[in-house]
Amino acid sequence: MKETKVQQSWWIRRYERDPRKFGDDARWLFLGLVIAMTAVYWPHHAMRANMLSSAVLWAVYLPIRTYIRIHYRTPSSLVWTDALSMVVNMYWWKWLPVSAPLLSVAVVWEAAWSLPVAQAFWVSILLGVGYAGAVLWPPALPHAWDSIVFVAPFYTLFAVLLYLLRRQLGYFETLAGTDYLTGLPNRRQLLESYQKSPQAALRSWVVIFDMDNFKQINDRFGHIVGDMVLRDFGRILRQLFRTGELTARYGGEEFLVVLPLSVSSAALKERLARINFHLQDLSLHYPTPVTVSAGVAQSWHDGEPLMALIARADEALYQAKARGKNQAVWSASTSTP
């Protein structure tokens, strides 16, 4: 059956990878509204100074803010600056009290996604207090207390809701990126983590492991024994490779490790020997020897695509299998100790 590709709306595609872009777009929309309302209300001399000041501030601030957000993620100081600027805008636009509170929701949104929950909570309180001060500041808005009761507490409630949503989405993301059997990251998670890490711009080692005769283990002793072998090998890899060295179950009985080239070839060979030692000990607990073959490759230059490196390691793994298994073969372009 032909698989049908699901078409997603452009705004879903825009926001699903980085929900904070919602806040960027909301701010630019607010700037457009500020400019439009400045033009409409320009004949009202009493409002002209506030409207013009707000339009100029946002026209200068937003390009700088967007550049910082894109190139430096979202510094916490930037979120606090957003909150303070919105408190000022609440006073400027107190006669149009809907637009500023709505944009403040975008500030709370980004605070909940970018800051620890305690800081996001205080940002929301600042916005709520700022809104209350803006509507009470002379000349006060009609029905000011009703407005405060209905609007100001909403920021804190929204921050709590977004925090719970963030935790839930983080749980699902972890679940989707983790191999349920071994607890290691899966292929998708490894590739994404590598692209986001500083290591992507540097030279690396890649080691591919493949369990020897794994199909025969499943056929002779059952899939339960096969699953136990995979789980135990995953535990060995977690013990021998440190934080910052990416380890994953690459698929089936294949495992993959990415290490910085700062790890010497001698140190890497020593770790491969320790894996073999642990497997010899592990074999005592199973009705058949447990061994692995490995292919090792290193980058030719900084920033080499990971898939090219994996392809060379996979070729070395194929040679290890052809030479009798239970051994590591280093790619021809790789220096060995």
Side-chain angles (χ1 to χ4, degrees):
M1 180 182 295
K2 185 177 180 180
E3 184 176 347
T4 303
K5 186 176 180 179
V6 178
Q7 296 294 328
Q8 293 181 329
S9 301
W10 70 269
W11 61 272
I12 294 180
R13 295 195 302 270
R14 177 171 175 77
Y15 300 142
E16 67 179 353
R17 305 299 287 179
D18 188 354
R20 287 166 294 189
K21 289 182 179 179
F22 168 81
D24 293 340
D25 292 346
R27 290 176 179 87
W28 284 104
L29 175 61
F30 182 75
L31 174 60
L33 292 174
V34 167
I35 294 174
M37 297 310 297
T38 301
V40 170
Y41 285 93
W42 189 255
H44 297 264
H45 295 277
M47 302 176 63
R48 184 178 296 178
N50 282 352
M51 291 187 297
L52 185 60
S53 300
S54 182
V56 171
L57 172 66
W58 279 85
V60 173
Y61 174 59
L62 267 186
I64 299 174
R65 186 205 178 281
T66 301
Y67 179 86
I68 294 175
R69 220 284 294 163
I70 292 175
H71 291 83
Y72 302 99
R73 304 300 292 174
T74 307
S76 60
S77 58
L78 187 61
V79 179
W80 284 100
T81 303
D82 285 343
L84 291 173
S85 68
M86 284 314 308
V87 170
V88 175
N89 273 267
M90 287 174 183
Y91 173 74
W92 279 344
W93 290 92
K94 64 191 310 177
W95 297 106
L96 297 170
V98 175
S99 56
L102 284 180
L103 182 57
S104 299
V105 170
V107 177
V108 177
W109 170 280
E110 186 151 25
W113 284 94
S114 305
L115 303 179
V117 61
Q119 292 189 36
F121 183 75
W122 284 110
V123 167
S124 66
I125 290 179
L126 171 65
L127 290 169
V129 173
Y131 176 80
V135 298
L136 291 175
W137 195 285
L141 288 180
H143 308 291
W145 285 107
D146 294 346
S147 177
I148 293 172
V149 168
F150 280 101
V151 176
F154 177 73
Y155 297 124
T156 303
L157 296 175
F158 188 56
V160 173
L161 175 64
L162 285 179
Y163 172 69
L164 295 175
L165 176 62
R166 176 182 169 185
R167 285 194 59 182
Q168 194 69 10
L169 290 179
Y171 168 74
F172 286 129
E173 184 176 352
T174 301
L175 197 63
T178 303
D179 174 58
Y180 76 98
L181 183 62
T182 63
L184 293 172
N186 57 23
R187 179 190 302 203
R188 181 187 66 85
Q189 183 61 41
L190 178 134
L191 296 178
E192 289 186 359
S193 298
Y194 178 80
Q195 292 301 325
K196 295 177 182 177
S197 70
Q199 187 58 38
L202 305 174
R203 297 180 66 189
S204 304
W205 293 105
V206 162
V207 185
I208 296 182
F209 299 95
D210 187 273
M211 309 297 299
D212 293 329
N213 307 313
F214 188 72
K215 185 178 184 303
Q216 288 86 333
I217 293 177
N218 277 333
D219 291 343
R220 290 182 59 192
F221 307 106
H223 288 276
I224 293 179
V225 173
D227 287 350
M228 292 172 62
V229 169
L230 293 174
R231 186 165 54 247
D232 286 338
F233 185 66
R235 175 179 50 79
I236 292 173
L237 293 183
R238 284 198 303 272
Q239 291 174 348
L240 295 182
F241 293 95
R242 298 181 288 271
T243 302
E245 300 173 345
L246 304 178
T247 308
R249 183 182 177 188
Y250 199 61
E253 63 269 25
E254 286 190 340
F255 295 79
L256 188 140
V257 178
V258 182
L259 307 92
L261 205 64
S262 57
V263 177
S264 68
S265 57
L268 179 55
K269 186 175 182 181
E270 191 270 336
R271 284 204 227 177
L272 296 178
R274 288 170 62 187
I275 289 175
N276 187 56
F277 173 79
H278 282 289
L279 287 177
Q280 291 177 11
D281 182 64
L282 186 64
S283 296
L284 300 176
H285 304 279
Y286 288 101
T288 184
V290 178
T291 62
V292 297
S293 300
V296 184
Q298 69 180 32
S299 303
W300 286 340
H301 54 79
D302 288 349
E304 181 181 7
L306 180 61
M307 296 311 297
L309 188 54
I310 291 175
R312 293 204 302 276
D314 194 53
E315 183 179 348
L317 173 64
Y318 179 81
Q319 296 176 21
K321 293 288 188 180
R323 295 178 186 179
K325 306 177 182 179
N326 191 23
Q327 59 185 288
V329 171
W330 299 61
S331 174
S333 59
T334 300
S335 60
T336 57

